[in-house]
Amino acid sequence: MIATVQGSVRERLVEAANELFYAHGLRAVSVDKVIDRAGTTKVTFYRHFKSKDDLVVAYLEHRAALEREGVDAAIEQGRGDVDATLRLLADGTGAVACSPGFRGCPFINAAAEYPDAASPVRRAVDTHRRWWEDAFARLVAPLAPADPAAVAEDLMLLRDGVMVAGYLGDPARVADSFLRGCRAVVRP
């Protein structure tokens, strides 16, 4: 029973961090604001996280798990049809970029706020970016490209562009633009 209660407190802290960090930025949100939103205490917070950076990493891991679930589902639903999977990914990305409160990619945002590549936050960002590139490589494998890693890097660059364009540009157009770009990259 105690593990369940502690787990739920940790989940509340991560969920509060998710809401606040994404809406206001990592550096702008204090631990006290997260504690307040989660309805807990500093003592309880520090039982679960040694530092704010540990909470930021947990927040990024939470966001990564959600993205990975969606991407893996699209790849599975595409059943090896690269174009169908790209359409699913483009539609999903466009839907996210068009959602109320969209503020860009949480990983790009975190990298901008944590420039030290050796920090735990940047390592979490880099881990997720490598996962994305691996997912793109898995996606294009049936096409047997000459350099799957280069294709994955190109698709990652397009994905990054969608995240920025969805925030700064016209989010209603990003899905179609992303799909056109992906198709151009994967064409033999």
Side-chain angles (χ1 to χ4, degrees), residues 79-159:
R79 294 179 182 17
D81 181 334
V82 175
D83 193 66
T85 304
L86 288 174
R87 167 51 74 188
L88 291 167
L89 290 174
D91 289 347
T93 303
V96 167
C98 294
S99 66
F102 180 73
R103 296 185 43 82
C105 172
F107 299 91
I108 293 171
N109 295 347
E113 290 195 54
Y114 284 79
D116 179 5
S119 76
V121 172
R122 281 297 295 276
R123 287 193 309 266
V125 169
D126 292 344
T127 296
H128 187 57
R129 292 180 64 74
R130 280 191 307 276
W131 181 89
W132 261 104
E133 287 182 0
D134 290 346
F136 282 134
R138 280 186 289 133
L139 170 63
V140 300
L143 301 175
D147 189 351
V151 173
E153 288 173 4
D154 292 348
L155 292 172
M156 187 67 191
L157 184 65
L158 290 170
R159 183 245 175 226

Side-chain angles (χ1 to χ4, degrees), residues 64-76:
L66 295 173
E67 283 188 24
R68 291 171 185 178
E69 184 179 300
V71 170
D72 285 340
I75 290 171
E76 185 177 321

